Amino acid sequence: MRLEQSELQRLLAGRYVLGTMRGRARDRFEVYLRYKPSLRQAVAAWEQRLQPLADALPPEPPAERVWNALKDRLWSSQDVNKASQSDPRSGLSWWHWLAFATVACIGLGLGWQLKQPVAEPPPLHLAVLSAQDGASAYLFCTDHQTGKTVVEVIGTGTAPVAGVDELWLLPAGEEGPKSLGLLPASGRKEIEFPRTLAPMLTAAKGLAVSREPAGGSGGVAPTGPILYTGGMINLWFSEKNTIQSASASQFDSYKKFENGENIGNQAAAKPVSEWESERTRALLALFRP
Amino acid sequence: MLDRCALGDRGAFERLYQAASPHLMASVRRMVVQIDISEDVLQEAFVQIWNRAGEYRPDRAKPMTWMTSIARYRALDRLRRQGRDKHNEELEPEIEDETGTGPLRNLAQTQSGHALRECLEVVSLDQRNSITLAYYHGLSHDQISSYLGQPLGTVKSWIKRGLERLKRCLEP
């Protein structure tokens, strides 16, 4: 998908707003929205253009019970924060992306200035963890300025098995997976990651998420099914904060992991399918200056 | 009102709900059809509006545009989760025939609507109907194709060309 072309961008934005963009394409588009301000503008422009269609509909006041239920949903709990956490995994609109993008760990394409470039900064690491059906579940990224690693819930995960999600780093070579801890059901989580481990991230085959019983796997190896996977993308920046180079992990070695080598219970593991690398290529294409 | 909601002003949120919900409901119900599910989607939309009111930027969108988009995208999510197909039989389509009835007729009453109305006149009836079937009813290319009894490729190109022409026409 050559999203760089503005004509194509506008058409895709139109189809997104109209709603004829469906399924995986829609998921993918929402990921792109996060990184492409121009795409967000194109979407906003279509929303505005078509809004008169919605305005022209005769109003239909909803039943009183809707407001009552809504109040209960938002404010009945003692814990007000609960409301802000409700429905965390429902599909997220581009407004969500927009908001996150302003605070996200990556200032890519948003023109953030990196004021004090380190002599040899490690690359920024990025991975979109997705289920085999293409639904994105988590975004993993590091901020090469602060060195912080953040994992964010970005979509409706498929959840065939009860339990908690555990994040795994798949290091290069023959080394087994390393647990990066349990993931939240919503929102984002900062992962404590010593900077000395940055080279390991850079070289990693990718990341995987397994569904584990409460409390996690114990940290040695995944015991539950692998639900989401994503290749590691490394982005090196120039002093001017433009992308200097990029690399993506090798998916062959990645498949090896998926096929059950190196780790414990593999009954429910699924092979990485072609779309995953397509997605990565498309993502990379977006970052090229 | 949205900025007051962002500060957690429940009274402002209620006023916002009273003002906006009839309009959002009109959009949602056309897409989702079933009343109970429409109400649920409407709720989801307002939960999101409440939680994200702080992210609303007046320089980027008008309040109704922002809220309508949230509601429509939540409706599309729901349709996707339901994997709906029976929709077509229950559809009371907002499409036009020669008599020109339906909501498109009301378009001319506002300034922006007037411009869109005029531009919709420029696109062919087929293109117009494909666009309104998608926008109002959340139909996919496939569903529009079977609804209109036209090949998928034809419908796709109607929508593509319809959007292109609309955009050109609406450009200042």
Side-chain angles (χ1 to χ4, degrees), chain B residues 132-145:
Chain B
T132 52
L133 279 169
Y135 187 85
Y136 281 133
H137 301 291
L139 296 196
S140 64
H141 286 134
D142 272 328
Q143 289 166 325
I144 296 170
S145 150

Side-chain angles (χ1 to χ4, degrees), chain A residues 7 10-11 14-24 26-27 30 43-44 46-67 69-71 73-75 80 83-87 90-96 98-100 102 135 156, chain B residues 10 13-14 17-18 21-23 25-27 29-30 39-40 42-44 46-48 50-52 55 60-61 64-66 68-70 72-74 76-77 80 84 94 103-104 106-107 112-113 116 120 131-132 134-136 138-141 143-144 159-160 163 166-167 170:
Chain A
E7 203 55 46
R10 275 197 294 273
L11 174 67
R15 289 178 48 198
Y16 177 78
V17 173
L18 205 56
T20 51
M21 181 186 288
R22 302 294 247 241
R24 284 179 212 166
R26 200 171 181 87
D27 288 341
E30 287 182 344
V43 165
W46 272 114
E47 287 173 344
Q48 192 188 326
R49 273 180 211 123
L50 296 174
Q51 180 64 25
L53 287 174
D55 294 339
L57 292 172
E60 298 182 24
E64 191 61 28
R65 61 175 174 270
V66 181
W67 170 247
L70 179 63
K71 267 193 306 189
R73 195 155 156 182
L74 287 173
W75 304 316
V80 177
S84 64
Q85 290 165 5
S86 64
D87 206 14
S90 70
L92 303 173
S93 78
W94 73 274
W95 297 101
H96 180 93
L98 179 64
F100 264 118
T102 57
T156 312
Chain B
R10 295 178 185 186
F13 184 66
E14 178 161 11
Y17 176 88
Q18 299 304 348
S21 63
H23 299 286
M25 186 62 169
S27 286
R29 211 189 47 78
R30 271 170 184 75
E39 289 177 350
D40 200 44
L42 187 69
Q43 265 193 53
E44 284 178 8
F46 273 99
V47 167
Q48 192 176 350
W50 171 254
N51 288 335
R52 310 221 181 285
E55 297 160 17
R60 298 208 179 104
M64 272 315 288
T65 307
W66 185 69
T68 303
S69 302
I70 287 177
R72 288 189 66 250
Y73 298 155
R74 292 292 71 75
L76 287 169
D77 285 346
R80 181 177 176 185
R84 172 197 64 182
E94 308 288 3
L104 292 181
N106 301 332
L107 265 181
S112 59
L116 183 59
L120 280 167
I131 287 172
T132 52
Y135 187 85
Y136 281 133
L139 296 196
S140 64
H141 286 134
Q143 289 166 325
I144 296 170
I159 287 184
K160 179 170 182 279
L163 286 175
L166 265 188
K167 185 187 165 290
L170 287 167

Side-chain angles (χ1 to χ4, degrees), chain B residues 141-155:
Chain B
H141 286 134
D142 272 328
Q143 289 166 325
I144 296 170
S145 150
S146 67
Y147 186 82
L148 295 178
Q150 295 290 336
L152 182 61
T154 308
V155 166

Side-chain angles (χ1 to χ4, degrees), chain A:
Chain A
M1 195 163 22
R2 288 171 300 163
L3 268 172
E4 295 298 338
Q5 296 174 4
S6 58
E7 203 55 46
L8 182 58
Q9 273 194 23
R10 275 197 294 273
L11 174 67
L12 291 175
R15 289 178 48 198
Y16 177 78
V17 173
L18 205 56
T20 51
M21 181 186 288
R22 302 294 247 241
R24 284 179 212 166
R26 200 171 181 87
D27 288 341
R28 259 197 311 270
F29 189 83
E30 287 182 344
V31 172
Y32 295 144
L33 269 182
R34 177 175 181 133
Y35 300 110
K36 293 288 279 186
S38 60
L39 209 51
R40 290 198 291 275
Q41 279 162 15
V43 165
W46 272 114
E47 287 173 344
Q48 192 188 326
R49 273 180 211 123
L50 296 174
Q51 180 64 25
L53 287 174
D55 294 339
L57 292 172
E60 298 182 24
E64 191 61 28
R65 61 175 174 270
V66 181
W67 170 247
N68 292 330
L70 179 63
K71 267 193 306 189
D72 286 348
R73 195 155 156 182
L74 287 173
W75 304 316
S76 70
S77 162
Q78 294 291 335
D79 180 7
V80 177
N81 286 333
K82 211 168 173 182
S84 64
Q85 290 165 5
S86 64
D87 206 14
R89 287 187 159 242
S90 70
L92 303 173
S93 78
W94 73 274
W95 297 101
H96 180 93
W97 298 115
L98 179 64
F100 264 118
T102 57
V103 291
C105 43
I106 337 176
L108 293 174
L110 297 178
W112 280 14
Q113 294 300 311
L114 294 177
K115 288 177 183 120
Q116 292 171 323
V118 187
E120 270 295 321
L124 182 148
H125 304 104
L126 173 76
V128 178
L129 289 145
S130 311
Q132 201 192 13
D133 67 3
S136 306
Y138 296 100
L139 180 80
F140 173 97
C141 54
T142 58
D143 181 332
H144 64 148
Q145 202 178 15
T146 63
K148 283 181 179 160
T149 301
V150 174
V151 182
E152 252 177 62
V153 177
I154 57 167
T156 312
T158 43
V161 192
V164 294
D165 284 354
E166 186 162 348
L167 181 65
W168 299 89
L169 173 70
L170 315 178
E174 297 304 308
E175 215 175 330
K178 285 208 173 323
S179 175
L180 298 181
L182 301 181
L183 294 173
S186 67
R188 49 198 282 160
K189 182 190 181 184
E190 222 172 82
I191 295 180
E192 290 301 322
F193 216 98
R195 287 196 89 153
T196 49
L197 280 185
M200 192 189 229
L201 273 185
T202 309
K205 294 168 195 161
L207 294 162
V209 168
S210 65
R211 181 64 50 92
E212 301 291 341
S217 69
V220 179
T223 63
I226 305 296
L227 297 184
Y228 314 108
T229 53
M232 187 67 79
I233 302 167
N234 300 308
L235 302 167
W236 282 267
F237 289 83
S238 70
E239 285 194 9
K240 287 177 183 161
N241 199 22
T242 56
I243 297 197
Q244 213 157 34
S245 58
S247 72
S249 57
Q250 295 298 310
F251 283 87
D252 284 343
S253 46
Y254 197 59
K255 278 177 185 159
K256 196 167 144 190
F257 173 82
E258 287 288 314
N259 291 334
E261 297 175 38
N262 270 349
I263 61 166
N265 176 9
Q266 275 301 296
K270 295 167 179 168
V272 175
S273 47
E274 274 306 307
W275 62 263
E276 178 65 38
S277 47
E278 269 169 32
R279 169 194 300 236
T280 309
R281 275 199 294 275
L283 265 171
L284 281 172
L286 285 177
F287 292 126
R288 282 195 193 104

Side-chain angles (χ1 to χ4, degrees), chain B residues 109-126:
Chain B
Q109 289 169 5
T110 63
Q111 202 185 355
S112 59
H114 188 71
L116 183 59
R117 165 81 267 187
E118 291 200 330
C119 289
L120 280 167
E121 297 292 343
V122 176
V123 308
S124 73
L125 185 66
D126 290 326

